[in-house]
Amino acid sequence: MKIFAVGMNYALHNKELDGTLYIPEEPVIFTKADSALLKDHKPFFVPDWCDQVDYETEIVVRICRLGKAIPERFAHRYYDAVTVGIDFTARDWQRRFRQEGKPWELSKGFDGSAAIGEWIPKERFRDVQALPFHLDINGKTVQEGCTADMLFSIDALIAYISRFFTLKTGDLLYTGTPVGVGPVHIDDHLEGYIDQLKVLEFNCK
């Protein structure tokens, strides 16, 4: 299983990080180790080796068939379910790596950094490219987004990634986070929703 993730796929999030409405010419793709996957409501253990860990709430899609060099017009055939996930980011480490021009996988791919919710068949939704989603922490909504605001659509991302990687059944794609990221703390209770359907719930320890 491979975990793909997308950076800078919502313009307002790019502005909150870098102060500009930056629009990349191509998708920004990175990967996470399979040990990053956090599922089944298991707790997220806030790492003690960094000063700030941020939540990044995202729509995640599940690859359902083998594919390579997939045309965008056929990409919808290659995923069968969606959910909400959290791309946890060691923000202080990421800032340092970016300033030094170094790869920042350590800040993104550490153990438990890819929380995943319950899968919902994509047929349940009229249009996966118009899904509202949000994250609540301790009962308060802290981040909201809609897949309609993506700079690169789900199908475009699948077509792009499959140029370089063979997609296999069970691979995951975290599609990017909207504006509103922020830190998590020990004892926080996180709940992720697609519209009003809760698909993700766990605690931080």
Side-chain angles (χ1 to χ4, degrees):
M1 181 200 69
K2 300 185 291 297
I3 302 174
F4 299 100
V6 184
M8 298 185 285
N9 202 26
Y10 289 81
L12 291 179
H13 170 62
N14 300 346
K15 184 176 181 180
E16 78 176 337
L17 287 186
D18 296 328
T20 178
L21 289 171
Y22 174 69
I23 298 178
E25 294 182 1
E26 295 179 314
V28 177
I29 306 298
F30 60 95
T31 60
K32 289 175 176 268
D34 57 3
S35 60
L37 194 63
L38 181 70
K39 58 182 181 178
D40 301 327
H41 309 289
K42 293 179 180 178
F44 172 70
F45 290 92
V46 179
D48 59 5
W49 44 262
C50 65
D51 295 327
Q52 180 180 340
V53 176
D54 284 0
Y55 59 81
E56 297 191 6
T57 313
E58 314 194 1
I59 289 294
V60 186
V61 301
R62 182 178 66 191
I63 301 301
C64 63
R65 60 192 294 188
L66 186 71
K68 173 71 174 175
I70 302 165
E72 184 174 340
R73 66 184 183 278
F74 297 136
H76 66 279
R77 302 177 182 177
Y78 288 81
Y79 59 100
D80 63 352
V82 301
T83 191
V84 168
I86 306 293
D87 167 22
F88 283 111
T89 303
R91 190 68 70 195
D92 53 330
W93 282 57
Q94 185 191 40
R95 290 193 188 102
R96 177 166 62 86
F97 288 145
R98 292 180 68 184
Q99 290 171 357
E100 296 174 355
K102 295 178 180 178
W104 32 268
E105 276 79 3
L106 289 181
S107 69
K108 286 281 195 178
F110 56 90
D111 288 354
S113 63
I116 195 76
E118 298 172 10
W119 293 107
I120 307 299
K122 69 175 184 180
E123 290 76 15
R124 287 269 304 270
F125 306 105
R126 181 185 302 176
D127 183 1
V128 296
Q129 209 56 64
L131 292 180
F133 60 99
H134 68 276
L135 175 70
D136 289 359
I137 297 182
N138 304 326
K140 179 182 178 181
T141 298
V142 296
Q143 189 177 22
E144 297 178 89
C146 181
T147 56
D149 296 326
M150 289 180 176
L151 299 175
F152 299 98
S153 69
I154 294 170
D155 289 356
L157 293 170
I158 288 175
Y160 182 81
I161 292 170
S162 69
R163 291 170 55 191
F164 309 96
F165 296 91
T166 297
L167 298 182
K168 296 183 178 181
T169 300
D171 288 348
L172 306 180
L173 172 59
Y174 284 65
T175 58
T177 195
V179 68
V181 303
V184 293
H185 306 92
I186 293 173
D187 295 329
D188 280 347
H189 181 68
L190 278 66
E191 298 171 291
Y193 295 80
I194 299 178
D195 201 359
Q196 299 305 311
L197 177 64
K198 182 162 66 174
V199 295
L200 175 71
E201 183 173 13
F202 62 95
N203 295 311
C204 294
K205 292 187 176 182

